């Protein structure tokens, strides 16, 4: 009897194993297909970046002839030498770092208190004020009226316009407001009030320490925005000494400006090819800082998406 039960049990186990194999192989095929598709997309995205790297150190004549595909040829660092000797690049770097640091600090100073105020249920007008902020996401006064307003305030071609004009971003405000509403219990405020804590002290002593996650997200979002910002600088600034790095990059890439040293005097008819090499080198120099920082802060991008996905 025990032998028959053992045989039956083995048959049942074998049947279940075969059943698992039959029903799991579509999932395995689907998983393999997704993996192959992901690898293909990764390579498609990676190759243009790799091509810029190898083109920046290759003979531009060979690049233009299509001979540089995977590996650099006739390696030369003329483009990087020109960048090192051009003061516009370093001035643009200094301006961009200033705008990124000062602008991000100003953004946090404005966004976090506003998010806290709009998260308070005791603030009766919060929905109306929030509607005013959301309205600006879809409608604006237009470029010409905005320019006339900025001009009347005498802020054209000043450093401050590139900071004040983007003092708060509505989407980031919604993210911060949602986080405070969903992550900080109301009981903490009631306990703080019993201890004689005011709104300002509660915000500084309780809300900010508990909001490190969303503050990290906002620093990342605002910092990347300021680093890549060029439209406001293009519209409202005409002074070269205030131009951020992206404007300098735009002048080199789109306006085809010749560097003040070296390019025009290259012998052997290599001037135009050298200019192409300079373009590729400028792209690398302007994007390397963000590319180096991103792997360490990628988790905050994901966290910001999850915070913004919560309805508040």
């Amino acid at each position: 009897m025990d032998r028959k039960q053992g045989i039956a049990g083995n048959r049942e186990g074998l049947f279940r194993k075969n059943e698992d194999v039959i029903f799991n192989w579509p999932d395995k095929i689907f998983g393999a297909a997704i993996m192959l598709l992901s690898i293909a997309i990764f390579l498609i995205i990676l190759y243009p970046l790799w091509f810029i790297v190898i083109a920046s150190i290759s003979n531009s004549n060979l690049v233009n002839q299509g001979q540089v595909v995977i590996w650099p040829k006739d390696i030369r660092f003329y483009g990087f030498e020109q960048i090192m000797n051009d003061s516009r690049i370093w001035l643009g770097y200094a301006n961009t770092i200033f705008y990124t640091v000062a602008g991000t600090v100003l953004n946090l100073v404005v966004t976090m208190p506003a998010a806290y105020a709009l998260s308070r249920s005791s603030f009766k007008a919060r929905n109306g004020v929030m509607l005013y902020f959301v309205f600006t996401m879809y409608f604006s006064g237009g470029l010409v009226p905005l320019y006339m307003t900025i001009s009347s305030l005498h802020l054209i071609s000043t450093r401050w316009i590139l900071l004040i004009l983007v003092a708060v971003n509505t989407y980031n405000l919604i993210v911060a407001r949602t986080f405070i509403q969903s992550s900080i219990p109301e009981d903490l405020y009631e306990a703080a009030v019993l201890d004689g804590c005011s709104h300002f002290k509660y915000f500084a002593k309780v809300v900010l320490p508990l909001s490190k996650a969303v503050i990290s997200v906002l620093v990342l979002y605002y910092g990347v925005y300021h680093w890549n910002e060029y439209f406001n600088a293009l519209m409202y600034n005409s002074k070269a000494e205030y131009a951020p790095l992206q404007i300098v990059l735009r002048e080199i890439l789109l306006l085809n400006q010749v560097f003040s040293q070296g390019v025009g005097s290259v012998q052997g008819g290599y001037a135009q090819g050298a200019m192409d090499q300079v373009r590729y080198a400028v792209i690398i120099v302007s994007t390397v800082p963000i590319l180096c920082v991103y792997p360490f802060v990628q988790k905050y991008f994901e966290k910001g998406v999850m915070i913004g996905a919560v309805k508040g």
Side-chain angles (χ1 to χ4, degrees), residues 61-129:
N61 292 329
L62 299 178
V63 175
N64 295 332
Q65 294 171 8
Q67 299 184 25
V68 177
V69 180
I70 300 298
W71 305 109
K73 294 183 179 180
D74 190 12
I75 296 177
R76 55 185 66 188
F77 298 94
Y78 178 81
F80 291 100
E81 292 174 358
Q82 291 300 308
I83 290 175
M84 296 300 176
N85 295 328
D86 193 288
S87 60
R88 294 182 305 169
I89 297 293
W90 302 114
L91 181 60
Y93 253 117
N95 289 333
T96 295
I97 292 174
F98 170 77
Y99 295 139
T100 301
V101 175
T104 302
V105 171
L106 176 62
N107 295 142
L108 292 178
V109 170
V110 175
T111 302
M112 289 304 297
Y116 169 72
L118 293 172
S119 68
R120 304 304 305 162
S121 59
S122 58
F123 181 33
K124 302 301 182 183
R126 62 174 184 163
N127 292 330
V129 175

XYZ file of all heavy atoms in Angstrom, residues 61-129:
550
model
N 38.348 64.894 -40.359
C 38.202 64.536 -41.768
C 37.756 63.077 -41.905
O 36.904 62.753 -42.736
C 39.507 64.764 -42.514
C 39.851 66.246 -42.606
O 38.961 67.090 -42.663
N 41.147 66.561 -42.595
N 38.333 62.207 -41.081
C 37.932 60.802 -41.102
C 36.512 60.630 -40.575
O 35.766 59.775 -41.058
C 38.909 59.970 -40.269
C 40.370 59.969 -40.737
C 41.235 59.144 -39.799
C 40.478 59.452 -42.169
N 36.136 61.442 -39.579
C 34.768 61.385 -39.052
C 33.778 61.776 -40.131
O 32.756 61.115 -40.341
C 34.624 62.296 -37.819
C 33.171 62.327 -37.351
C 35.525 61.816 -36.686
N 34.066 62.865 -40.852
C 33.159 63.328 -41.904
C 33.072 62.347 -43.074
O 32.063 62.297 -43.784
C 33.609 64.698 -42.413
C 33.489 65.772 -41.338
O 32.644 65.675 -40.449
N 34.336 66.786 -41.419
N 34.136 61.562 -43.272
C 34.138 60.573 -44.349
C 33.479 59.264 -43.926
O 33.365 58.341 -44.734
C 35.570 60.299 -44.798
C 36.243 61.500 -45.463
C 37.720 61.271 -45.713
O 38.241 60.162 -45.520
N 38.419 62.317 -46.169
N 33.054 59.177 -42.668
C 32.374 57.981 -42.183
C 33.301 56.848 -41.834
O 32.840 55.699 -41.702
N 34.594 57.117 -41.647
C 35.543 56.056 -41.323
C 35.630 55.784 -39.822
O 36.210 54.781 -39.417
C 36.925 56.424 -41.868
C 36.966 56.587 -43.377
C 38.374 56.864 -43.896
O 39.355 56.490 -43.257
N 38.475 57.507 -45.050
N 35.102 56.690 -39.025
C 35.098 56.494 -37.572
C 33.717 55.980 -37.184
O 32.729 56.708 -37.254
C 35.411 57.811 -36.836
C 35.323 57.605 -35.327
C 36.793 58.313 -37.239
N 33.659 54.723 -36.783
C 32.380 54.092 -36.470
C 32.350 53.580 -35.022
O 31.455 53.917 -34.252
C 32.078 52.938 -37.437
C 30.739 52.289 -37.095
C 32.075 53.438 -38.882
N 33.327 52.766 -34.663
C 33.349 52.157 -33.331
C 34.508 52.672 -32.497
O 34.347 53.002 -31.320
C 33.417 50.626 -33.433
C 32.196 50.084 -34.203
C 33.451 50.009 -32.028
C 30.864 50.367 -33.542
N 35.689 52.754 -33.133
C 36.891 53.152 -32.414
C 37.463 54.429 -33.014
O 37.298 54.684 -34.207
C 37.941 52.039 -32.443
C 37.440 50.726 -31.930
C 37.174 49.605 -32.648
C 37.130 50.404 -30.569
N 36.711 48.599 -31.842
C 36.678 49.059 -30.557
C 37.188 51.107 -29.367
C 36.292 48.418 -29.386
C 36.791 50.460 -28.207
C 36.367 49.141 -28.221
N 38.135 55.268 -32.200
C 38.728 56.498 -32.733
C 39.887 56.199 -33.670
O 40.563 55.168 -33.545
C 39.197 57.231 -31.468
C 39.393 56.153 -30.447
C 38.356 55.114 -30.744
N 40.112 57.090 -34.625
C 41.209 56.962 -35.576
C 41.982 58.278 -35.645
O 41.389 59.348 -35.597
C 40.679 56.592 -36.962
C 40.049 55.212 -37.044
C 39.619 54.878 -38.471
C 39.017 53.483 -38.549
N 38.592 53.138 -39.935
N 43.293 58.147 -35.787
C 44.175 59.322 -35.848
C 43.893 60.241 -34.656
O 43.474 61.390 -34.797
C 43.979 60.069 -37.165
C 45.047 61.145 -37.365
O 46.043 61.151 -36.607
O 44.856 61.996 -38.253
N 44.123 59.692 -33.463
C 43.747 60.378 -32.224
C 44.489 61.702 -32.078
O 45.700 61.772 -32.249
C 44.027 59.484 -31.009
C 43.133 58.233 -31.072
C 43.781 60.229 -29.707
C 43.386 57.249 -29.947
N 43.756 62.741 -31.793
C 44.298 64.057 -31.507
C 43.346 64.777 -30.563
O 42.152 64.559 -30.604
C 44.514 64.856 -32.788
C 43.272 64.987 -33.660
C 43.589 65.678 -34.980
N 44.465 64.858 -35.806
C 45.014 65.288 -36.947
N 44.772 66.522 -37.367
N 45.794 64.492 -37.656
N 43.900 65.660 -29.724
C 43.126 66.336 -28.686
C 43.039 67.828 -28.942
O 43.015 68.625 -28.008
C 43.756 66.071 -27.309
C 43.761 64.615 -26.926
C 44.881 63.819 -27.194
C 42.668 64.035 -26.307
C 44.885 62.485 -26.848
C 42.671 62.704 -25.956
C 43.777 61.920 -26.229
N 42.942 68.188 -30.203
C 42.912 69.595 -30.563
C 41.677 70.295 -29.980
O 41.761 71.423 -29.479
C 42.911 69.753 -32.080
C 42.823 71.181 -32.539
C 43.962 71.987 -32.569
C 41.613 71.738 -32.919
C 43.878 73.297 -32.975
C 41.527 73.053 -33.323
C 42.663 73.828 -33.352
O 42.589 75.145 -33.746
N 40.525 69.650 -30.038
C 39.300 70.267 -29.528
C 39.395 70.579 -28.051
O 39.023 71.674 -27.609
N 39.898 69.632 -27.259
C 40.022 69.865 -25.828
C 41.070 70.927 -25.524
O 40.924 71.686 -24.566
C 40.372 68.555 -25.123
C 39.251 67.550 -25.139
C 39.255 66.514 -26.063
C 38.198 67.641 -24.251
C 38.227 65.587 -26.091
C 37.169 66.720 -24.271
C 37.182 65.688 -25.191
N 42.128 70.990 -26.326
C 43.128 72.044 -26.139
C 42.510 73.420 -26.350
O 42.794 74.367 -25.607
C 44.292 71.822 -27.098
C 45.124 70.579 -26.794
C 46.179 70.322 -27.857
O 46.219 71.099 -28.843
O 46.939 69.359 -27.713
N 41.675 73.550 -27.378
C 41.024 74.831 -27.635
C 40.074 75.216 -26.516
O 39.977 76.386 -26.142
C 40.267 74.778 -28.963
C 41.158 74.699 -30.189
C 42.091 75.902 -30.285
O 41.650 77.046 -30.213
N 43.368 75.635 -30.439
N 39.372 74.242 -25.971
C 38.459 74.530 -24.874
C 39.224 75.024 -23.653
O 38.814 75.978 -22.975
C 37.641 73.272 -24.537
C 36.658 72.973 -25.661
C 36.886 73.442 -23.218
C 35.889 71.703 -25.477
N 40.344 74.371 -23.357
C 41.134 74.776 -22.207
C 41.663 76.199 -22.350
O 41.887 76.899 -21.352
C 42.300 73.801 -22.005
C 41.879 72.383 -21.677
S 40.908 72.299 -20.145
C 40.482 70.558 -20.131
N 41.875 76.645 -23.586
C 42.428 77.975 -23.820
C 41.368 79.036 -24.064
O 41.716 80.208 -24.282
C 43.381 77.935 -25.026
C 44.598 77.070 -24.780
O 45.077 76.967 -23.650
N 45.109 76.437 -25.820
N 40.098 78.665 -24.047
C 39.024 79.619 -24.326
C 38.356 80.034 -23.026
O 37.806 79.197 -22.310
C 37.992 79.010 -25.268
C 37.051 80.051 -25.832
O 36.203 80.547 -25.067
O 37.173 80.383 -27.017
N 38.388 81.311 -22.723
C 37.868 81.818 -21.453
C 36.344 81.745 -21.394
O 35.767 81.721 -20.306
C 38.328 83.259 -21.234
O 37.866 84.098 -22.285
N 35.652 81.716 -22.541
C 34.194 81.675 -22.534
C 33.672 80.407 -21.874
O 32.643 80.429 -21.178
C 33.648 81.770 -23.962
C 33.906 83.081 -24.657
C 33.266 83.066 -26.028
N 33.734 81.918 -26.811
C 33.177 81.536 -27.963
N 32.142 82.185 -28.444
N 33.669 80.497 -28.621
N 34.354 79.298 -22.113
C 33.909 78.030 -21.522
C 33.961 78.108 -20.004
O 33.005 77.734 -19.311
C 34.770 76.871 -22.044
C 34.616 76.706 -23.552
C 34.416 75.583 -21.314
C 33.244 76.261 -23.982
N 35.065 78.594 -19.468
C 35.219 78.646 -18.020
C 34.299 79.690 -17.397
O 33.780 79.473 -16.292
C 36.673 78.940 -17.675
C 37.592 77.919 -18.252
C 38.532 78.111 -19.219
C 37.625 76.519 -17.941
N 39.157 76.921 -19.528
C 38.623 75.933 -18.760
C 36.910 75.712 -17.056
C 38.911 74.574 -18.708
C 37.205 74.355 -17.001
C 38.192 73.806 -17.815
N 34.084 80.822 -18.090
C 33.124 81.808 -17.589
C 31.710 81.242 -17.600
O 30.935 81.445 -16.661
C 33.192 83.082 -18.443
C 32.249 84.217 -18.026
C 32.547 84.671 -16.609
C 32.359 85.389 -19.000
N 31.387 80.490 -18.671
C 30.076 79.845 -18.723
C 29.912 78.822 -17.619
O 28.834 78.710 -17.017
N 30.965 78.066 -17.324
C 30.924 77.111 -16.220
C 30.665 77.823 -14.901
O 29.816 77.394 -14.093
C 32.252 76.349 -16.142
C 32.164 74.923 -16.615
C 32.894 74.494 -17.714
C 31.368 74.004 -15.956
C 32.824 73.189 -18.162
C 31.296 72.687 -16.390
C 32.024 72.287 -17.483
O 31.938 70.993 -17.916
N 31.402 78.916 -14.658
C 31.238 79.658 -13.403
C 29.819 80.198 -13.273
O 29.211 80.112 -12.195
C 32.258 80.795 -13.336
N 29.281 80.758 -14.357
C 27.920 81.289 -14.307
C 26.899 80.184 -14.069
O 25.953 80.348 -13.276
C 27.596 82.018 -15.614
C 28.354 83.321 -15.751
O 28.723 83.943 -14.759
N 28.598 83.739 -16.983
N 27.068 79.052 -14.745
C 26.119 77.946 -14.580
C 26.155 77.394 -13.160
O 25.105 77.084 -12.580
C 26.429 76.830 -15.586
O 26.204 77.322 -16.917
C 25.535 75.622 -15.359
N 27.340 77.266 -12.592
C 27.445 76.788 -11.205
C 26.764 77.763 -10.256
O 26.046 77.363 -9.322
C 28.915 76.582 -10.824
C 29.498 75.409 -11.629
C 29.064 76.318 -9.328
C 30.989 75.214 -11.437
N 26.954 79.066 -10.504
C 26.295 80.070 -9.659
C 24.778 79.975 -9.784
O 24.061 79.962 -8.781
C 26.766 81.477 -10.050
C 25.960 82.569 -9.407
C 26.157 82.903 -8.079
C 25.004 83.272 -10.138
C 25.414 83.911 -7.472
C 24.255 84.275 -9.550
C 24.462 84.597 -8.216
N 24.282 79.901 -11.019
C 22.833 79.815 -11.217
C 22.263 78.539 -10.613
O 21.155 78.545 -10.050
C 22.504 79.876 -12.714
C 22.848 81.183 -13.369
C 23.421 81.219 -14.643
C 22.622 82.397 -12.729
C 23.745 82.420 -15.254
C 22.948 83.599 -13.337
C 23.506 83.604 -14.596
O 23.828 84.798 -15.195
N 23.007 77.443 -10.727
C 22.516 76.167 -10.203
C 22.440 76.176 -8.688
O 21.426 75.783 -8.097
C 23.417 75.022 -10.681
O 23.439 74.988 -12.111
C 22.923 73.688 -10.154
N 23.501 76.652 -8.034
C 23.534 76.652 -6.570
C 22.571 77.690 -6.000
O 21.702 77.375 -5.175
C 24.974 76.905 -6.067
C 24.986 77.029 -4.548
C 25.899 75.787 -6.516
N 22.719 78.944 -6.453
C 21.862 80.011 -5.913
C 20.404 79.792 -6.281
O 19.498 80.009 -5.457
C 22.347 81.370 -6.429
N 20.155 79.355 -7.513
C 18.779 79.131 -7.936
C 18.119 78.005 -7.177
O 16.940 78.101 -6.795
N 18.847 76.926 -6.921
C 18.279 75.797 -6.178
C 17.976 76.189 -4.740
O 16.928 75.810 -4.186
C 19.244 74.605 -6.210
O 19.509 74.239 -7.570
C 18.666 73.418 -5.470
N 18.866 76.952 -4.121
C 18.614 77.422 -2.753
C 17.368 78.297 -2.710
O 16.498 78.139 -1.830
C 19.840 78.189 -2.216
C 19.505 78.862 -0.884
C 21.026 77.260 -2.041
N 17.247 79.234 -3.661
C 16.056 80.089 -3.717
C 14.792 79.262 -3.949
O 13.749 79.517 -3.328
C 16.224 81.127 -4.828
C 15.024 82.055 -5.080
C 14.732 82.887 -3.836
C 15.274 82.954 -6.281
N 14.871 78.272 -4.821
C 13.720 77.414 -5.088
C 13.252 76.706 -3.826
O 12.046 76.634 -3.555
C 14.063 76.388 -6.149
C 14.354 76.997 -7.500
O 15.244 76.548 -8.223
N 13.624 78.055 -7.856
N 14.185 76.179 -3.035
C 13.810 75.477 -1.811
C 13.226 76.442 -0.782
O 12.260 76.102 -0.078
C 15.027 74.765 -1.230
C 15.577 73.586 -2.033
C 16.809 73.017 -1.363
C 14.522 72.508 -2.210
N 13.810 77.637 -0.692
C 13.321 78.629 0.264
C 11.883 79.021 -0.046
O 11.096 79.305 0.860
C 14.245 79.869 0.273
C 13.627 81.012 1.057
C 15.601 79.500 0.862
N 11.519 79.025 -1.322
C 10.159 79.398 -1.717
C 9.226 78.186 -1.710
O 8.091 78.264 -1.230
C 10.168 80.062 -3.111
C 8.745 80.342 -3.582
C 10.977 81.348 -3.084
N 9.691 77.055 -2.231
C 8.814 75.905 -2.441
C 8.398 75.232 -1.141
O 7.208 74.933 -0.945
C 9.508 74.871 -3.353
O 9.838 75.487 -4.598
C 8.592 73.679 -3.610
N 9.335 74.982 -0.249
C 9.001 74.240 0.971
C 8.030 74.988 1.886
O 7.041 74.385 2.336
C 10.287 73.877 1.719
C 11.114 72.803 1.037
S 10.193 71.270 0.742
C 9.808 70.759 2.417
N 8.225 76.269 2.187
C 7.203 76.958 2.994
C 5.839 77.017 2.318
O 4.803 76.866 2.977
C 7.797 78.364 3.184
C 9.268 78.179 3.009
C 9.410 77.121 1.975
N 5.846 77.242 0.985
C 4.575 77.277 0.264
C 3.893 75.918 0.314
O 2.666 75.830 0.502
C 4.813 77.701 -1.185
N 4.646 74.848 0.152
C 4.072 73.502 0.204
C 3.509 73.207 1.598
O 2.442 72.594 1.734
C 5.130 72.470 -0.171
N 4.207 73.647 2.627
C 3.718 73.422 3.991
C 2.410 74.176 4.231
O 1.443 73.627 4.791
C 4.769 73.864 5.008
C 4.251 73.907 6.425
C 3.991 72.731 7.123
C 3.996 75.131 7.048
C 3.500 72.770 8.425
C 3.509 75.176 8.346
C 3.259 73.998 9.025
O 2.767 74.035 10.300
N 2.370 75.446 3.811
C 1.156 76.244 4.012
C -0.032 75.641 3.265
O -1.150 75.571 3.791
C 1.396 77.679 3.553
N 0.214 75.174 2.038
C -0.879 74.610 1.237
C -1.285 73.214 1.708
O -2.338 72.716 1.300
C -0.460 74.550 -0.232
C -0.271 75.909 -0.911
C 0.328 75.742 -2.297
C -1.598 76.655 -0.999
N -0.481 72.598 2.538
C -0.821 71.270 3.051
C -1.653 71.337 4.332
O -2.205 70.318 4.752
C 0.453 70.464 3.324
O 1.171 71.023 4.424
N -1.761 72.527 4.943
C -2.486 72.657 6.205
C -3.985 72.679 5.961
O -4.509 73.489 5.198
C -2.074 73.946 6.935
C -0.598 74.090 7.218
C -0.064 72.933 7.997
N -0.810 72.728 9.222
C -0.789 71.605 9.925
N -0.063 70.577 9.495
N -1.497 71.497 11.031
N -4.690 71.768 6.617
C -6.141 71.723 6.478
C -6.811 72.933 7.118
O -7.941 73.295 6.761
C -6.685 70.436 7.121
O -6.327 70.374 8.495
N -6.126 73.577 8.049
C -6.682 74.768 8.694
C -6.618 75.998 7.800
O -7.243 77.015 8.117
C -5.931 75.049 10.007
O -4.542 75.227 9.759
N -5.864 75.912 6.715
C -5.779 77.017 5.766
C -6.950 76.897 4.795
O -6.911 76.147 3.844
C -4.429 76.967 5.038
C -4.219 78.088 4.050
C -4.748 79.346 4.280
C -3.487 77.875 2.902
C -4.548 80.378 3.372
C -3.283 78.889 1.991
C -3.819 80.144 2.228
N -7.992 77.649 5.033
C -9.241 77.482 4.298
C -9.108 77.831 2.822
O -9.819 77.265 1.983
C -10.340 78.353 4.934
C -10.598 78.040 6.405
C -11.011 76.589 6.600
C -11.308 76.294 8.073
N -11.653 74.863 8.294
N -8.227 78.746 2.496
C -8.112 79.200 1.100
C -7.089 78.394 0.303
O -6.725 78.780 -0.803
C -7.744 80.678 1.062
N -6.655 77.271 0.858
C -5.563 76.548 0.202
C -5.970 76.005 -1.165
O -5.152 76.011 -2.098
C -5.076 75.399 1.081
C -6.115 74.331 1.380
C -5.497 73.173 2.117
N -6.464 72.099 2.331
C -6.121 70.862 2.653
N -4.853 70.556 2.792
N -7.041 69.950 2.830
N -7.203 75.554 -1.329
C -7.617 75.033 -2.627
C -7.663 76.126 -3.682
O -7.271 75.910 -4.833
C -8.994 74.363 -2.500
C -8.944 73.093 -1.669
O -7.923 72.409 -1.633
N -10.046 72.775 -0.997
N -8.132 77.299 -3.299
C -8.148 78.410 -4.237
C -6.755 78.858 -4.627
O -6.473 79.130 -5.805
N -5.851 78.930 -3.649
C -4.472 79.310 -3.943
C -3.797 78.246 -4.804
O -3.058 78.565 -5.741
C -3.687 79.530 -2.629
C -2.217 79.815 -2.917
C -4.299 80.677 -1.837
